[in-house]
Amino acid sequence: MSEAYFPVGPGLGMEENFLSLDDILMSQEKVPGRAESALPRLAVMLGQGAGSAESVPEGSKLEMPLWLAKGLHDSKRRIISVELPKIYREAWRTVFSADANVVDLHKMGPYYYGFGSQLLNFENPENPEIAQTILQATGGGSVLPVSDSVCVPQTFTARFRRIMDSSQNAYNEDTSALVARLDELERALFQVGQKGLNDFQCWEKGQASQITASSLVQNYGKRKLAEVDG
């Protein structure tokens, strides 16, 4: 007898959850970079050769999946260097600071928050600014050592209210246009908001016996209890 599949949530910050389908897909996103030394037998994988024995010459420009970049990256040996995708560079950070709601995050990168956090694994001088834009800071037990403030995603905060307002004001409507510009994390939150609205409507009409806590709230409570026990 087969068991029901329960989706596994993505990891937090710079850590990936390898049981999460979202994190597996996110790890396939490409990052630009440069080969700081010759890379034996990787030419085919990186689309720069036809034979499995061919090497990538030193100095070659690269477009590699995140999982491979993390595997090759070594600050001591300088095997590769990783550059910032354009959406995380200064020009786009300025756009987010001005009005984060105007950006089509799904078009620019469907895993904007998770992928941006993963970029902090690489030694880039702009890492503090990237973290400031995505995750403003962390306190005890959080994920990004930028300052001692509370963890507040600036871009996320700017977009959150509109996302939740939209999810709470679209009952029995086509929501495809509302979620088209959202990244995958935002889409998941929109769905949580929609489920809460639908559950409330069912309860109000007498079609449900009780209102139950969101799975996100339940999981948060379990994590807090685990921290206290630890």
Side-chain angles (χ1 to χ4, degrees), residues 144-171:
L144 301 176
V146 182
S147 79
D148 295 326
S149 311
V150 177
C151 177
V152 180
Q154 283 188 333
T155 300
F156 178 77
T157 301
R159 294 165 63 94
F160 177 76
R161 175 171 292 184
R162 179 173 293 186
I163 292 169
M164 297 312 294
D165 283 349
S166 298
S167 73
Q168 297 297 296
N169 289 284
Y171 183 63

Side-chain angles (χ1 to χ4, degrees), residues 111-130:
Y111 298 96
Y112 171 77
Y113 302 105
F115 188 64
S117 298
Q118 289 292 311
L119 292 176
L120 301 178
N121 284 289
F122 309 107
E123 292 85 0
N124 188 293
E126 296 183 56
N127 275 0
E129 288 76 19
I130 297 172

Side-chain angles (χ1 to χ4, degrees), residues 60-132:
S60 300
K61 290 286 187 179
L62 304 174
E63 283 283 338
M64 53 198 145
L66 174 65
W67 64 265
L68 181 59
K70 289 178 67 176
L72 292 174
H73 179 70
D74 187 323
S75 58
K76 296 180 180 178
R77 297 177 58 192
R78 295 289 294 174
I79 299 173
I80 63 166
S81 58
V82 173
E83 301 171 5
L84 291 178
K86 65 179 182 179
I87 194 172
Y88 300 100
R89 296 175 187 171
E90 183 178 4
W92 276 102
R93 294 199 302 268
T94 302
V95 173
F96 283 121
S97 298
D99 187 355
N101 287 301
V102 304
V103 182
D104 185 340
L105 277 190
H106 203 267
K107 180 179 180 180
M108 299 302 296
Y111 298 96
Y112 171 77
Y113 302 105
F115 188 64
S117 298
Q118 289 292 311
L119 292 176
L120 301 178
N121 284 289
F122 309 107
E123 292 85 0
N124 188 293
E126 296 183 56
N127 275 0
E129 288 76 19
I130 297 172
Q132 186 75 15

Side-chain angles (χ1 to χ4, degrees), residues 14 19-20 44 61 74 80 86 91-92 102 105 118 138 151 159 171 185 187 197 207 215-216 227:
M14 296 164 67
L19 297 177
S20 167
V44 172
K61 290 286 187 179
D74 187 323
I80 63 166
K86 65 179 182 179
W92 276 102
V102 304
L105 277 190
Q118 289 292 311
T138 66
C151 177
R159 294 165 63 94
Y171 183 63
L185 172 62
R187 289 185 177 190
L197 173 64
Q207 298 172 351
S215 60
L216 290 178
E227 291 175 4

Side-chain angles (χ1 to χ4, degrees), residues 1-6:
M1 180 177 178
S2 61
E3 297 181 359
Y5 170 72
F6 295 97

Side-chain angles (χ1 to χ4, degrees), residues 203-224:
W203 175 81
E204 195 173 43
K205 296 175 182 177
Q207 298 172 351
S209 57
Q210 62 181 357
I211 296 178
T212 58
S214 163
S215 60
L216 290 178
V217 174
Q218 293 173 355
N219 290 335
Y220 177 76
K222 291 177 182 177
R223 288 199 300 271
K224 297 300 290 184

